[in-house]
Amino acid sequence: MDKHSAQVEFAPFDSPDLMPNPDPAKNTLKVRLTYANWQGRKSLPMDAMLAYEPTEAAKQQVVAANAEAEAAYQQAVERLQHEAYGRAVRERLRLVSEMRARRAEDLRSEERRWVFRSLLRRLQSGGHYPQEPTQLPYADAEEIQRYFDVDEMLYFVAPDFWRPGPLNPPPVTKDSEGRYPVPPVQEPVPAGAQPPPLAGQTVAGWYSRTDEYNSANVPPAAEWRVNYLITEQSTPAPLGSSLGWLIQIDGDPRRNEFLNAAWVKAVMPVRPGQEVAALEWLIGVEGEAGMGTRYDPVAGDPPEFADSDVGEALRTLARQLQDMNISVDNTLTSEKVFEKGFDPLEGGFRPAAPYQIFDQWVEVLPTDQVAAVAVRYDPRTGQQL
């Protein structure tokens, strides 16, 4: 109570005859003056400030109301996040499914380079390269490419695709999650009912949602599987999606097979003229085990292979191939151009008996190494004009 310096006295507010004071029900405050000096004034201004303290029951009601409001707010936020996640996943899947694959030539070139680098790493682990441990094997890579045409490499991926994993992977249960699990919605589910699906999200199931299936065992038992994403607006899932493959967004099926292959078999052709040097390089890397074994000739082998071991036969074959590839005559023969044309009937025969083939000849067709020239023939003589 602020008296504003007035000479007044009050009875205690908690006097028995004033109780209840203040009165919360009537919202009143009783004041009893026991002494007042008006000092000739007609009024004495005073200010009263009431401080209300809630009861314990009122506090509990407020706490309960706040908790209920907070739970409703969090539930609404989780539902919005759940739906927003679904929309984001659908939009991402639409964009990913419309992604155009890169040129097959570029993908194959990258894979050949990856195989070549893997070969270098294998050689490093075997102690062959680099010759100087403090340097990267640039010169060694150039040496290999001098013998072998890496750009023309042929490689074959394993037909049984799998990715190495733990020896004892954990089994899939109802609590398993995929790579991108959907945020759960914390809301009560009636007994015997399924959780509400993500409205309009997928056709096959939630994104990385774990569903229960009945296995083929007798009697049937519960089996859990983790679904992959697919919607009614997306294109069919890439090869290997249902197997858990690593998928490259802008890759083609061959790239996905390459990424998930257990092993790769590479065949690199020897550059023409480097057959002998390439053979000696292979012997230095792989060793000479079996090179001294006696060679058993087969039908069609040249006579030089007789009474020789495997190493001698391989060296003889390498020298023959090298001589053939560096021969200028062979090169000119393959590059021969028929500038004046040729007679296709030359060397043929014409039997006179009826209903028999009246002529036969060998026709040389143009290839990548033959320049075809448009010519005209006389219909009567068959000669080139």
Side-chain angles (χ1 to χ4, degrees):
M1 180 72 72
D2 188 359
K3 304 176 184 179
H4 294 282
S5 302
Q7 298 179 6
V8 295
E9 297 292 340
F10 303 99
F13 292 109
D14 56 352
S15 299
D17 56 339
L18 299 178
M19 297 301 290
N21 192 29
D23 190 351
K26 298 179 180 180
N27 196 22
T28 60
L29 174 65
K30 299 177 182 178
V31 180
R32 178 187 299 168
L33 292 175
T34 57
Y35 171 79
N37 184 2
W38 295 88
Q39 297 179 350
R41 291 181 294 178
K42 296 182 179 181
S43 63
L44 296 176
M46 290 176 290
D47 294 332
M49 183 176 63
L50 302 180
Y52 290 90
E53 182 179 355
T55 61
E56 192 64 28
K59 292 180 180 179
Q60 295 299 328
Q61 292 179 357
V62 171
V63 171
N66 289 340
E68 183 178 356
E70 178 69 18
Y73 171 77
Q74 292 296 337
Q75 186 176 358
V77 169
E78 291 175 356
R79 184 179 294 107
L80 292 176
Q81 291 178 343
H82 198 68
E83 296 175 357
Y85 186 91
R87 289 192 297 269
V89 168
R90 288 177 60 86
E91 179 65 16
R92 173 180 172 84
L93 178 60
R94 184 186 66 82
L95 297 175
V96 169
S97 63
E98 295 177 356
M99 182 75 67
R100 293 180 299 176
R102 296 168 54 193
R103 296 175 64 251
E105 294 80 1
D106 297 340
L107 296 175
R108 303 294 86 79
S109 178
E110 290 180 353
E111 292 163 6
R112 292 188 184 95
R113 288 298 166 183
W114 187 92
V115 173
F116 182 63
R117 292 177 182 177
S118 179
L119 172 63
L120 288 178
R121 289 194 294 268
R122 291 290 187 91
L123 293 175
Q124 290 177 4
S125 62
H128 299 287
Y129 290 106
Q131 302 295 344
E132 177 58 39
T134 60
Q135 299 179 359
L136 294 176
Y138 295 129
D140 306 313
E142 291 294 332
E143 180 184 7
I144 297 175
Q145 295 184 83
R146 182 177 63 183
Y147 302 143
F148 303 96
D149 192 350
V150 179
D151 293 334
E152 298 297 331
M153 178 196 308
L154 299 178
Y155 57 93
F156 308 91
V157 297
D160 47 345
F161 305 103
W162 56 275
R163 292 184 60 81
L167 295 179
N168 298 313
V172 180
T173 64
K174 63 179 181 179
D175 298 324
S176 300
E177 294 181 346
R179 185 173 299 172
Y180 303 104
V182 177
V185 176
Q186 302 296 339
E187 58 184 15
V189 179
Q194 294 291 335
L198 208 56
Q201 179 188 355
T202 62
V203 173
W206 292 4
Y207 190 39
S208 295
R209 176 187 177 189
T210 305
D211 283 340
E212 181 180 3
Y213 299 86
N214 288 329
S215 64
N217 299 331
V218 179
E223 185 177 86
W224 300 90
R225 302 176 186 173
V226 178
N227 294 329
Y228 63 92
L229 180 62
I230 184 174
T231 70
E232 75 282 1
Q233 297 178 349
S234 63
T235 58
L239 175 67
S241 297
S242 58
L243 302 178
W245 280 14
L246 174 64
I247 303 298
Q248 181 172 329
I249 296 177
D250 60 348
D252 57 6
R254 304 287 81 77
R255 168 56 62 89
N256 294 331
E257 292 176 355
F258 182 83
L259 293 177
N260 296 273
W263 50 266
V264 175
K265 178 181 179 181
V267 179
M268 288 190 294
V270 180
R271 293 188 182 275
Q274 298 291 335
E275 289 80 3
V276 176
L279 177 61
E280 296 301 328
W281 181 86
L282 288 174
I283 293 176
V285 172
E286 298 292 339
E288 297 188 3
M291 299 293 288
T293 305
R294 180 178 179 79
Y295 178 76
D296 295 330
V298 297
D301 283 348
E304 294 84 354
F305 286 8
D307 299 331
S308 63
D309 54 27
V310 174
E312 294 175 354
L314 289 176
R315 290 183 174 91
T316 301
L317 178 61
R319 287 193 296 269
Q320 294 177 355
L321 292 176
Q322 180 170 322
D323 295 339
M324 293 174 57
N325 289 329
I326 63 178
S327 174
V328 179
D329 296 336
N330 294 337
T331 303
L332 295 178
T333 301
S334 63
E335 300 294 334
K336 182 178 180 181
V337 178
F338 296 94
E339 298 179 352
K340 303 299 183 179
F342 55 91
D343 184 8
L345 303 181
E346 182 180 358
F349 62 94
R350 300 173 182 269
Y355 306 110
Q356 291 185 3
I357 300 175
F358 67 90
D359 205 345
Q360 297 181 4
W361 65 90
V362 177
E363 184 76 25
V364 180
L365 299 177
T367 63
D368 293 340
Q369 296 180 338
V370 176
V373 180
V375 297
R376 296 173 57 191
Y377 295 94
D378 190 339
R380 293 178 301 176
T381 62
Q383 297 295 326
Q384 179 182 352
L385 298 178

Short mmCIF file of all heavy atoms in Angstrom, two decimals, residues 53 174 234 272 296 358:
data_model
loop_
_atom_site.label_atom_id
_atom_site.label_comp_id
_atom_site.label_asym_id
_atom_site.label_seq_id
_atom_site.Cartn_x
_atom_site.Cartn_y
_atom_site.Cartn_z
N GLU A 53 -0.93 -15.15 -5.97
CA GLU A 53 -0.14 -16.37 -6.11
C GLU A 53 -1.10 -17.54 -6.34
O GLU A 53 -1.99 -17.78 -5.54
CB GLU A 53 0.69 -16.64 -4.87
CG GLU A 53 1.57 -17.87 -4.99
CD GLU A 53 2.41 -18.10 -3.75
OE1 GLU A 53 2.37 -17.24 -2.85
OE2 GLU A 53 3.10 -19.13 -3.69
N LYS A 174 12.07 -56.36 -38.06
CA LYS A 174 11.08 -55.30 -38.19
C LYS A 174 11.66 -53.93 -37.85
O LYS A 174 11.08 -52.91 -38.21
CB LYS A 174 9.88 -55.58 -37.29
CG LYS A 174 10.24 -55.61 -35.79
CD LYS A 174 9.01 -55.88 -34.95
CE LYS A 174 9.36 -55.88 -33.46
NZ LYS A 174 8.16 -56.13 -32.62
N SER A 234 7.69 -42.45 -61.54
CA SER A 234 9.09 -42.72 -61.85
C SER A 234 9.20 -43.79 -62.92
O SER A 234 8.27 -44.57 -63.15
CB SER A 234 9.84 -43.15 -60.60
OG SER A 234 9.30 -44.37 -60.10
N PRO A 272 51.28 -53.50 -82.01
CA PRO A 272 52.03 -54.12 -83.11
C PRO A 272 53.51 -53.74 -83.04
O PRO A 272 53.87 -52.58 -82.84
CB PRO A 272 51.36 -53.53 -84.36
CG PRO A 272 49.98 -53.16 -83.92
CD PRO A 272 50.12 -52.72 -82.49
N ASP A 296 53.57 -79.56 -76.16
CA ASP A 296 52.96 -80.62 -76.95
C ASP A 296 52.31 -80.00 -78.18
O ASP A 296 51.30 -79.29 -78.07
CB ASP A 296 51.90 -81.37 -76.13
CG ASP A 296 52.53 -82.11 -74.95
OD1 ASP A 296 53.70 -82.52 -75.08
OD2 ASP A 296 51.84 -82.24 -73.91
N PHE A 358 25.05 -70.48 -113.57
CA PHE A 358 25.73 -70.13 -114.80
C PHE A 358 27.05 -69.42 -114.55
O PHE A 358 27.86 -69.29 -115.45
CB PHE A 358 24.84 -69.25 -115.69
CG PHE A 358 24.57 -67.89 -115.12
CD1 PHE A 358 25.41 -66.81 -115.38
CD2 PHE A 358 23.47 -67.68 -114.30
CE1 PHE A 358 25.15 -65.57 -114.85
CE2 PHE A 358 23.21 -66.44 -113.78
CZ PHE A 358 24.05 -65.37 -114.04
#
